[in-house]
Amino acid sequence: MRNSPKSEQQKPDLPELVRKSSDGDIAAFASLMDSQKQYAYAVAFRLLHDEENSKDVVQEAFIRVWNNLGKYRKEIKFTTWLYKIVVNLCYDKIKMNSRRKNIFGYTGSLFGNNDVADSRDFHSEAEKSDLCDHVISESRNLPPKEYLVFHLRDIMDFSIEEISEIVGMSVGSVKTNLCYARRRIRIAVNRLQESEQL
């Protein structure tokens, strides 16, 4: 299940903070950052599973927000706009980690979450946990676009249309990348199960 900010109805001052920030009010922007930093960090950490990288992403996200407030369209929820900035920065980190892996042979799980496995396939919680860990680990080996789409859809439970909007891909491209990602994960899981039967 995805992490969500408090609804903007519960934060009646958010549009006003955005407006004042757009006018160059530093104090309003500090309040805006304070109201959204926990949400932005939660989003980044779900994708990166690394505290320092997540903090870096949040810092960079707010720099981008400040620099682009003049381009912000008020018909879009501010939290949606912020989410898109954070996800795109995480995608950049994922791509960088992928390049490092290719160059240096870096391996490791990028995030830890046990939400993927289908419980019908396993007879015990221990077996489920092992498979989930394997799926998460294998997802780290996906190409960056497939990883991002797989994570947003199958881990964070966004709709195809929401993912299309967040990452700036067509719906067809999201579906294609998701299909490829799931196929790679399925092959890896089958390989694991076959090796355990030997």
Side-chain angles (χ1 to χ4, degrees):
M1 179 160 297
R2 78 188 73 164
N3 289 314
S4 300
K6 292 180 180 178
S7 72
E8 293 187 16
Q9 288 78 19
Q10 294 173 310
K11 291 181 178 258
D13 59 333
L14 185 57
E16 182 67 10
L17 288 175
V18 172
R19 186 190 67 74
K20 287 181 177 179
S21 298
S22 297
D23 291 339
D25 186 329
I26 300 292
F29 186 68
S31 295
L32 180 65
M33 286 193 304
D34 191 55
S35 72
Q36 299 300 312
K37 65 184 179 186
Q38 187 173 357
Y39 166 60
Y41 178 82
V43 171
F45 192 81
R46 287 279 292 182
L47 283 167
L48 301 175
H49 199 63
D50 180 275
E51 186 175 342
E52 289 306 312
N53 280 337
S54 299
K55 287 179 180 177
D56 290 346
V57 161
V58 171
Q59 185 175 15
E60 178 62 25
F62 281 116
I63 291 170
R64 291 197 182 186
V65 166
W66 176 254
N67 290 334
N68 292 283
L69 274 170
K71 300 176 185 174
Y72 169 64
R73 293 181 290 139
K74 294 175 178 59
E75 63 269 20
I76 299 173
K77 283 173 55 175
F78 177 79
T79 49
T80 300
W81 187 57
L82 175 61
Y83 193 99
K84 187 170 183 176
I85 291 171
V86 171
V87 167
N88 284 331
L89 287 168
C90 288
Y91 180 51
D92 291 342
K93 289 274 187 190
I94 293 164
K95 287 192 294 185
M96 184 174 67
N97 287 340
S98 179
R99 284 195 295 270
R100 284 180 181 165
K101 176 186 168 186
N102 290 337
I103 295 169
F104 301 111
Y106 172 81
T107 59
S109 177
L110 191 59
F111 56 89
N113 186 301
N114 294 335
D115 294 341
V116 179
D118 184 340
S119 60
R120 292 172 298 180
D121 294 337
F122 308 100
H123 302 296
S124 71
E125 288 303 313
E127 287 173 337
K128 274 195 284 186
S129 178
D130 287 346
L131 181 71
C132 290
D133 289 345
H134 186 70
V135 168
I136 298 304
S137 179
E138 285 298 327
S139 74
R140 177 60 186 88
N141 297 320
L142 294 170
K145 281 185 182 178
E146 291 178 24
Y147 169 86
L148 188 63
V149 169
F150 175 79
H151 190 83
L152 290 172
R153 179 70 192 103
D154 289 347
I155 305 295
M156 299 180 78
D157 199 31
F158 281 92
S159 71
I160 297 293
E161 292 73 19
E162 287 173 320
I163 296 168
S164 174
E165 173 64 25
I166 289 167
V167 302
M169 291 182 196
S170 68
V171 167
S173 183
V174 170
K175 288 179 178 178
T176 299
N177 279 281
L178 182 60
C179 178
Y180 288 150
R182 286 172 172 170
R183 184 180 302 160
R184 291 181 205 270
I185 295 292
R186 189 162 50 246
I187 289 169
V189 169
N190 288 342
R191 195 163 48 233
L192 172 70
Q193 290 174 333
E194 288 170 4
S195 69
E196 288 178 344
Q197 290 171 0
L198 294 177

